[in-house]
Amino acid sequence: AYFSTGYTENLKEALNNLGKAVIEAVQQGVEVVVLEDKSVSEATQFAMPMLLAVSHIHQLLIRHDLRMQTSIVAMSGEMREVHHLACLVGYGANAVVPYLAQKTIADLTENNRIQGDVASNVAQLNTIFSEGLIKVMAKMGISTVQSYHGAQIFEAVGLGDDVIEHYFPGTPSKLSGISLATLDVENKRRQTIDQPYLQPGSTFQWRQQGQYHTFNPMTIQLLQHACRDNDYEKFKQFSEVANHHTASHLRDLFDFKTQSSIHLDEVEPVETIVKRFKTGAMSYGSISQEAHQTLAEAMNRLGGKSNSGEGGEALERYTVSEDGADYKSAIKQVASGRFGVTSHYLQHAKEIQIKVAQGAKPGEGGQLPGTKVYPWIAEVRGSTPGIGLISPPPHHDIYSIEDLAQLIHDLKNVNRQADITVKLVSKSGVGTIAAGVAKAFADKIVISGYDGGTGASPKTSIQHAGLPWELGLAETHQTLMLNGLRSRVRLETDGKLLTGRDVAYAAALGAEEFGFAT
């Protein structure tokens, strides 16, 4: 039976009516429920968000003990990305028909905009969607669609409690957010834009009329000129621009309480504060040798620490040069115990970081395409020139806190002077994981946010993976306090820290050290 997701006035009422109609049909023996927005009248109706409709029907059928008697098919013009497919399957759709994406490919083929025949190009689109879903499942350690189907392994950011409770029950949501009424208004607004063509969008590419990007021509220009000219006033301008804009980070919704001020002389001096600063883990090969060395030299001068990433280091960098330049990275990263990780490498570390996960693309390892693996990079990384390097998702190596405790023990015996750090990702429940890491005798824990990274990630990992560090850091700090473990470890965070204000917020939420990369 086909059910249109079109409605005229009230979204909540329309969802209730749709639910009643589907329940009645399944009770009468319907074995396949097709939710479709193809028949929605453009002149008089709006299409309800397909994910909302699918999840609502899925949950309603479960509550009426009818879910096993029928399948849900989502026939949606809205589905155009891998993430959309992942959400629909994850919230209950047995099958998905992305008819508008398929018709777009067919139209481009017929008008000679892309080569080949219609059938093979549409089949290729379907394959791309399928492979994308497989990638998403793999990041979660799930091997079959049957296990992924209806599993709801998502976390909501910015949906109201009422929406979660009624339509996405069981979904973790740290923050509240928009109501169903606001969703209704935004949904209608999207469908009444009277333009002959679609906007090109500005999700990945900065555009002047598009959405706000943290790094834009103004912030980049001010930051670069401030540093090149050693101009503090220019840096203050950069801070002003970076700090005062529309809320693009969670911390932009915070404000400092008004306090009685103290004299600057009473504040910890810059020279000791910068010792808490780190560079992000950027591997040799993903950035050039010059950039890698420059970061190390700068942090060594300041008394901070640079992070080698998982790419190893050239041996000659371990000795201080004649002119006093120290190019050695203080933090050596261990990711799956490969890529140049030797006892010699670990002996030259002040800190050894176990990468259990990374914030910019959780569930994935670093990747260097074969074309970038030059002989000198292959030598440092202990690999073969021209062969791509990819570290597997860390959950293939570390199955439990016991495994992690063993690795921490081994690394402490390799280098007894080095602190052992474990890098985790901001997510609901990270506090519990961090408590286990503290019990495994790690010295430091890094909580990495979703908006770090250089953007060298698949699109499914840039937009729809990870959470703001503010959430993970606050949860970790509080959970460690509740369990009497906070004094055992130091906490660090990273992910688009741009100004002194960001560092102050991170410190207020529990961080003692701070990582900067991009």
Side-chain angles (χ1 to χ4, degrees):
Y2 285 74
F3 298 87
S4 171
T5 60
Y7 71 104
T8 50
E9 291 293 329
N10 188 296
L11 178 57
K12 186 172 184 176
E13 193 179 311
L15 283 163
N16 290 339
N17 293 336
L18 175 67
K20 287 174 189 172
V22 170
I23 294 297
E24 198 175 308
V26 176
Q27 285 171 339
Q28 290 172 6
V30 167
E31 294 178 336
V32 179
V33 171
V34 181
L35 303 175
E36 54 84 23
D37 52 24
K38 213 172 183 180
S39 63
V40 174
S41 165
E42 192 180 333
T44 60
Q45 287 184 304
F46 303 99
M48 59 180 71
M50 185 54 76
L51 179 60
L52 190 64
V54 165
S55 186
H56 174 53
I57 297 303
H58 173 67
Q59 294 293 339
L60 207 55
L61 288 167
I62 290 171
R63 286 199 291 274
H64 283 79
D65 289 332
L66 295 168
R67 186 63 187 92
M68 301 303 289
Q69 296 176 29
T70 189
S71 295
I72 299 172
V73 177
M75 187 179 283
S76 172
E78 210 177 7
M79 203 215 99
R80 59 193 181 276
E81 292 179 15
V82 168
H83 180 66
H84 300 164
L85 173 62
C87 283
L88 288 168
V89 174
Y91 279 97
N94 295 79
V96 180
V97 183
Y99 69 86
L100 190 59
Q102 292 167 341
K103 282 190 172 183
T104 303
I105 293 295
D107 184 66
L108 290 169
T109 307
E110 286 164 359
N111 290 306
N112 298 317
R113 299 276 298 278
I114 53 177
Q115 295 178 338
D117 62 276
V118 172
S120 61
N121 283 346
V122 170
Q124 191 174 350
L125 172 73
N126 294 340
T127 303
I128 289 167
F129 276 134
S130 302
E131 288 181 352
L133 182 61
I134 288 168
K135 172 103 175 170
V136 172
M137 286 162 50
K139 288 195 289 185
M140 299 306 299
I142 294 173
S143 55
T144 64
V145 177
Q146 189 174 357
S147 299
Y148 191 79
H149 175 243
Q152 297 189 193
I153 45 171
F154 293 88
E155 189 159 342
V157 180
L159 277 182
D161 295 337
D162 201 42
V163 177
I164 295 289
E165 188 183 331
H166 283 93
Y167 303 103
F168 303 100
T171 301
S173 178
K174 287 283 185 189
L175 311 167
S176 185
I178 59 174
S179 63
L180 193 67
T182 310
L183 269 172
D184 192 6
V185 170
E186 291 189 355
N187 186 52
K188 287 172 179 171
R189 190 183 298 152
R190 268 199 306 275
Q191 295 178 45
T192 51
I193 296 170
D194 186 22
Q195 288 180 335
Y197 55 86
L198 292 171
Q199 291 294 322
S202 57
T203 307
F204 302 105
Q205 175 82 39
W206 177 85
R207 295 182 189 277
Q208 196 162 7
Q209 283 80 29
Q211 67 184 44
Y212 182 86
H213 281 230
T214 306
F215 281 118
N216 55 61
M218 176 64 78
T219 53
I220 289 171
Q221 179 195 24
L222 286 169
L223 181 61
Q224 289 187 344
H225 280 289
C227 296
R228 284 172 184 163
D229 304 335
N230 196 22
D231 186 339
Y232 186 63
E233 280 307 309
K234 191 78 78 176
F235 183 78
K236 295 299 282 183
Q237 289 176 34
F238 159 75
S239 294
E240 190 70 23
V241 172
N243 288 340
H244 296 96
H245 51 69
T246 55
S248 57
H249 301 103
L250 195 54
R251 57 188 175 276
D252 296 333
L253 303 174
F254 298 168
D255 217 339
F256 291 112
K257 290 181 180 177
T258 306
Q259 301 281 356
S260 54
S261 61
I262 58 172
H263 197 273
L264 264 179
D265 292 342
E266 295 179 51
V267 180
E268 187 178 2
V270 169
E271 291 76 20
T272 57
I273 291 175
V274 293
K275 288 177 182 177
R276 297 173 180 267
F277 291 171
K278 319 280 187 74
T279 68
M282 296 176 279
S283 302
Y284 170 46
S286 69
I287 59 174
S288 68
Q289 182 175 339
E290 292 83 357
H292 209 269
Q293 284 191 183
T294 300
L295 289 166
E297 185 185 5
M299 295 314 278
N300 289 336
R301 281 193 204 177
L302 287 171
K305 294 186 178 79
S306 69
N307 192 322
S308 69
E310 56 182 297
E313 266 179 358
L315 296 178
E316 57 268 20
R317 286 175 59 180
Y318 294 158
T319 53
V320 178
S321 64
E322 291 178 4
D323 59 359
D326 185 358
Y327 298 124
K328 181 172 64 189
S329 289
I331 306 169
K332 312 287 192 211
Q333 203 175 57
V334 177
S336 306
R338 56 181 70 199
F339 302 147
V341 177
T342 62
S343 57
H344 190 58
Y345 168 80
L346 297 173
Q347 281 289 322
H348 287 86
K350 290 180 182 173
E351 194 174 305
I352 299 171
Q353 187 177 93
I354 302 166
K355 185 167 89 171
V356 174
Q358 53 184 348
K361 40 180 177 175
E364 296 177 55
Q367 187 169 353
L368 197 63
T371 50
K372 285 182 129 183
V373 185
Y374 303 112
W376 50 93
I377 289 171
E379 184 184 350
V380 168
R381 300 185 76 156
S383 60
T384 309
I387 303 296
L389 301 172
I390 182 165
S391 40
H395 53 62
H396 289 293
D397 281 358
I398 298 168
Y399 290 95
S400 66
I401 292 296
E402 286 79 11
D403 286 353
L404 188 65
Q406 182 64 52
L407 180 55
I408 290 169
H409 174 79
D410 293 343
L411 292 174
K412 285 194 171 185
N413 281 306
V414 170
N415 184 343
R416 301 202 170 201
Q417 278 71 49
D419 285 332
I420 309 299
T421 306
V422 176
K423 185 175 183 180
L424 304 175
V425 157
S426 178
K427 68 183 287 293
S428 274
V430 71
T432 307
I433 298 165
V437 170
K439 288 175 183 177
F441 298 109
D443 300 298
K444 295 180 187 176
I445 296 172
V446 181
I447 302 296
S448 204
Y450 75 113
D451 56 358
T454 57
S457 307
K459 283 187 178 179
T460 50
S461 300
I462 294 175
Q463 285 297 309
H464 306 293
L467 284 181
W469 56 255
E470 294 94 322
L471 291 174
L473 177 63
E475 182 185 329
T476 300
H477 173 65
Q478 290 167 34
T479 306
L480 291 172
M481 287 289 288
L482 286 169
N483 287 278
L485 296 166
R486 186 63 186 86
S487 59
R488 283 198 191 184
V489 291
R490 290 168 73 84
L491 283 184
E492 180 190 332
T493 195
D494 65 31
K496 287 284 183 293
L497 296 175
L498 295 177
T499 66
R501 188 195 68 153
D502 292 345
V503 173
Y505 282 146
L509 291 173
E512 293 151 287
E513 299 184 1
F514 314 90
F516 304 85
T518 322

